[in-house]
Amino acid sequence: MIYLQAIGVMAVIGGALAVLLLLADRFLCNYGPCQVRINEEEPFTVQGGGKLLDALYDRRIFIPSACGGQGTCGFCKVQVLEGGGPVLPTELPFLEETELTAGTRLACQVKIRDDIRIRVKEEFLHIQEFRSEVVTATMVTPDTREIHLRLIEPAEIDFRPGQYVQVFVPGTRDKTFRAYSIASPPSRRDAVELLVRLIPGGLGSGYLHRVQPGEEVRFTGPYGEFQLDPGMELVCIGGGCGMAPMRSILRHVAEETPDRKAWLFFGARTAEQVMYHSDFASLAERAQGLEVHYALSEPESSPDWTGETGFIHESADRFLKDGEGKQVFLCGPPPMIKAAIEVLTAKGIPRERIFYDEF
Amino acid sequence: MTESSLFGGLAVVFLAAILTNNILLSKFLGMCSFIAISRNMRTAVGMGIAVTFVTLFTAMINYLIYYGVLVPGAPLCAADLTFLTFLIFIMMIAGFVQLVEMFLERFIPLLYFNLGIFLPLITVNCAILGVNLLMIDPDRHFGFAQTAAYALGSGLGYLLAICLMAGIRQRLAQADIPRPLRGLGITVIITGLMAMAFMGFTGMVDL
């Protein structure tokens, strides 16, 4: 009897709260139709109360957002010229002084409450959504999987080496996306290659380690601001799972300008984690300018290793003579990036020529 | 309690909740938000006010539910349902915070933008649940007015503690702290020192 009463009381109180919240949601959060105007073009109407980022996604404008609208990556910057309310404290860590005065906001934090006028970078408007099919998926190290995706719709992709895509993770309540660098060179226009290291409990990597050949994968892209400067020598430093963009960039360089001076420094902890060593060795035979260095930071666990040892920024320090006329791409864990930047700036490479992807 | 001593009784409960029985510094509840939000004064004040507001109102609502429904022989349900206390209190706090957030966003946007982001943070703040549970402590025999005074005092106590901490941390930002203690370490030590300082109030008023 007492349990029936308990259940009854819980149901009544819970139900009352739920009804109250639903009513509040219906009447308080209803802001009516609002107009969104992008880059001074014809405005469109959305139901107010939602996030700007979601409204843009519904219009198939794919602003980069590696965190999926959590407000933690700071990628989804747009300029809000009118409407949108004041800047929230959650946005401040990602906005510089000049951006604040220009009205830059994080699209995932802006709620559409009234008519809003925004400016979106022209290149974001070219970002498309792709449907693709898994062709092959192979493990290149015990925890890293190489996945080939053949594009279905649209059939071709235009991207620069070093750019990334955002893979849609199905089966989650919100629209969840995870960012992965493209590992294939841009000359392959009908397919995209990804390198995914499995992170225990990771949503995106868990999904991409589960998919089987024949299954469909959806992604948006390409994103990323890295631009190869054809007039400069190229230094690529990667560690851990930071191999994917190097594969794209260096294969592109080998195809287009095989004589161009380029370095690859790749750091792994153990020999088990070393990937594409022989691939790059044969690439270096074809591309005269390419110099490849692999180093292990924990060589004691790999007695057969005959190559370099130590942290990868130490190798870079040894083999790079100076910073004259060099452009740098870094990809790897934050401590590696930090150490590498110190080494490279000491060699006289200015910060604006050092590009990095941190994760 | 006679009419004349009622006000005095409330004042004692109110002051005790702020000083001698400060929810944060004597019970160490609500530490996570206390440490996370106390980096600068503005956000600390916002957080403190949000906690005060939510504590006061949820305590009053939960008081009515507890004595109206849950205790044995209550007017709305005679059976002893006190084992539901935790569930219902948490549910009420979460629901209330949601409602307040929507309400503020719609009608008082200015307040919402200053305070709103703290509201979701305190849905699961243990200081608030702590106050809600302590008010029904059978040793205390709190009436409705005393509960309100206790909740308001506890909220203000939290506000006081987090503002003091924010002030100290703003000064610490310039200080030369030994490297291993920077950040969390020194904050927890200071919290301990503050708690000891607050022990000086002991005996001044007592619950």
Side-chain angles (χ1 to χ4, degrees), chain A residues 249-262:
Chain A
I249 294 169
L250 290 170
R251 283 195 279 176
H252 174 74
V253 167
E255 283 167 8
E256 301 288 321
T257 49
D259 295 330
R260 177 174 174 179
K261 192 68 197 148

Side-chain angles (χ1 to χ4, degrees), chain A residues 15-325:
Chain A
L17 265 179
V19 168
L20 257 177
L21 284 173
L22 276 176
L23 284 177
D25 193 45
R26 180 86 180 69
F27 292 107
L28 290 182
C29 295
N30 183 357
Y31 292 86
C34 300
Q35 303 238 304
V36 181
R37 187 192 279 265
I38 301 172
N39 296 357
E40 306 306 331
E41 284 176 21
E42 198 53 37
F44 58 93
T45 308
V46 296
Q47 190 61 35
K51 287 176 182 175
L52 179 60
L53 184 70
D54 292 338
L56 292 174
Y57 265 61
D58 290 341
R59 290 288 293 188
R60 307 191 64 73
I61 295 170
F62 302 104
I63 307 281
S65 160
C67 66
Q70 309 279 312
T72 55
C73 72
F75 287 1
C76 57
K77 286 178 184 169
V78 297
Q79 227 178 324
V80 177
L81 304 172
E82 201 183 308
V87 179
L88 300 187
T90 41
E91 298 171 74
L92 287 176
F94 301 102
L95 300 173
E96 316 227 338
E97 203 63 44
T98 49
E99 291 178 317
L100 279 174
T101 47
T104 304
R105 304 282 307 269
L106 299 187
C108 69
Q109 301 295 311
V110 176
K111 224 174 177 185
I112 302 178
R113 292 188 184 76
D114 37 26
D115 293 355
I116 188 167
R117 205 155 59 83
I118 62 172
R119 192 186 303 280
V120 176
K121 269 193 216 163
E122 197 63 34
E123 56 172 290
F124 290 165
L125 300 177
H126 300 306
I127 293 168
Q128 289 176 292
E129 184 177 35
F130 292 87
R131 288 198 302 125
S132 69
E133 184 193 343
V134 180
V135 185
T136 57
T138 43
M139 301 298 286
V140 291
T141 73
D143 62 359
T144 305
R145 199 181 196 211
E146 179 190 300
I147 301 164
H148 287 254
L149 300 170
R150 189 176 56 78
L151 301 184
I152 302 172
E153 176 72 49
E156 293 197 330
I157 183 170
D158 268 320
F159 64 95
R160 298 191 304 270
Q163 285 195 300
Y164 65 94
V165 295
Q166 290 184 185
V167 175
F168 173 72
V169 183
T172 47
R173 201 166 58 84
D174 302 312
K175 293 175 188 141
T176 306
F177 287 88
R178 288 292 183 271
Y180 294 98
S181 290
I182 303 174
S184 46
S187 55
R188 279 298 301 272
R189 292 164 53 91
D190 61 336
V192 159
E193 199 181 305
L194 303 179
L195 267 182
V196 182
R197 169 181 268 195
L198 183 64
I199 297 157
L203 270 182
S205 65
Y207 163 64
L208 285 173
H209 273 247
R210 268 196 314 275
V211 288
Q212 294 300 322
E215 283 182 42
E216 186 178 302
V217 171
R218 288 201 292 138
F219 61 86
T220 60
Y223 302 95
E225 301 183 344
F226 179 70
Q227 299 252 14
L228 269 176
D229 187 330
M232 283 199 213
E233 299 179 336
L234 177 67
V235 179
C236 293
I237 305 179
C241 40
M243 172 55 94
M246 317 299 175
R247 292 272 292 158
S248 178
I249 294 169
L250 290 170
R251 283 195 279 176
H252 174 74
V253 167
E255 283 167 8
E256 301 288 321
T257 49
D259 295 330
R260 177 174 174 179
K261 192 68 197 148
W263 286 265
L264 169 67
F265 295 96
F266 188 75
R269 238 183 284 155
T270 60
E272 236 183 14
Q273 301 288 344
V274 168
M275 51 184 119
Y276 302 115
H277 198 178
S278 54
D279 270 39
F280 275 115
S282 58
L283 195 67
E285 276 168 28
R286 275 180 286 136
Q288 295 302 319
L290 179 60
E291 200 179 310
V292 178
H293 297 277
Y294 275 63
L296 295 191
S297 60
E298 291 170 13
E300 46 294 336
S301 56
S302 320
D304 296 338
W305 181 257
T306 52
E308 289 161 44
T309 58
F311 287 113
I312 195 62
H313 61 271
E314 297 163 358
S315 295
D317 194 20
R318 271 197 301 278
F319 289 97
L320 294 175
K321 282 195 192 66
D322 54 49
E324 196 61 38

Side-chain angles (χ1 to χ4, degrees), chain A residues 5 28 30 88 111 113, chain B residues 79-81 105-107 113:
Chain A
Q5 280 176 324
L28 290 182
N30 183 357
L88 300 187
K111 224 174 177 185
R113 292 188 184 76
Chain B
D80 180 6
L81 296 179
E105 189 177 356
R106 187 63 201 254
F107 294 110
F113 287 116

